[in-house]
Amino acid sequence: MRSVGRLYGIGFSYLHHEADALQEASCKAWIKRRSLKDESAFLPWMTRILINCCMDELRRRKRIFPSDRAGEDRAAEMVSSNRIDLDRMLAKLPAKHRHVVILKYEQDLTLVEIARIPNEPEGTIKSWLPKALKR
């Protein structure tokens, strides 16, 4: 159950108010469940699927014209200007650096846990983090 909360938190970090990506990721994981060889790698595997679904949704949103989204933001929760600034800065980062920052500081994952998600060496993740923070 803790894993579901963590996955929901990751989806929320990327999309800010929707659980659609988690539902989409769950469906994709169910369809591809036989491709998972090691059951102990389920959470990183599922997280990778979720992040890919979130990125797909963000790309889809960019294609929508502003007039199509006019009514969407009315019901949105008020967000502080600091959060808006942080989101803008994160959006400017390359995807790999953005993922590391979100997983480390918003989801409180360790570098070892983060490294398992993109299947990168821990040293690579350690080098991406300061680069992301510097940018």
Side-chain angles (χ1 to χ4, degrees), residues 78-113:
M78 291 298 292
V79 180
S80 74
S81 62
N82 290 337
R83 180 62 202 198
I84 293 170
D85 292 340
L86 178 62
D87 290 341
R88 285 182 183 150
M89 286 188 279
L90 284 172
K92 292 178 183 178
L93 289 175
K96 63 184 180 183
H97 292 157
R98 182 174 53 248
H99 299 320
V100 171
V101 171
I102 289 172
L103 294 173
K104 174 70 176 158
Y105 295 107
E106 290 189 13
Q107 298 305 312
D108 203 28
L109 296 179
T110 66
L111 294 175
V112 173
E113 291 171 323

Side-chain angles (χ1 to χ4, degrees), residues 3 8 13-14 39 70 72 78 81 92 98 102 117 119 125:
S3 299
Y8 183 82
S13 295
Y14 281 89
E39 288 183 21
E72 278 183 22
M78 291 298 292
S81 62
K92 292 178 183 178
R98 182 174 53 248
I102 289 172
I117 293 168
N119 202 21
I125 301 301

Side-chain angles (χ1 to χ4, degrees), residues 15-26:
L15 301 178
H16 301 297
H17 67 304
E18 296 176 26
D20 293 343
L22 184 57
Q23 188 173 11
E24 177 77 17
S26 298

Side-chain angles (χ1 to χ4, degrees), residues 17-84:
H17 67 304
E18 296 176 26
D20 293 343
L22 184 57
Q23 188 173 11
E24 177 77 17
S26 298
C27 290
K28 286 184 178 184
W30 179 257
I31 291 167
K32 299 288 185 182
R33 68 189 181 276
R34 291 187 186 0
S35 68
L36 180 63
K37 304 293 184 220
D38 180 12
E39 288 183 21
S40 67
F42 174 77
L43 189 57
W45 178 74
M46 184 66 192
T47 304
R48 188 175 320 126
I49 292 171
L50 175 62
I51 289 172
N52 289 337
C53 288
C54 289
M55 298 306 292
D56 290 345
E57 175 64 18
L58 291 172
R59 278 190 290 276
R60 187 192 66 77
R61 286 181 184 178
K62 283 184 181 179
R63 290 191 308 257
I64 296 175
F65 291 7
S67 62
D68 293 343
R69 293 191 298 192
E72 278 183 22
D73 294 330
R74 290 185 190 143
E77 187 178 316
M78 291 298 292
V79 180
S80 74
S81 62
N82 290 337
R83 180 62 202 198
I84 293 170

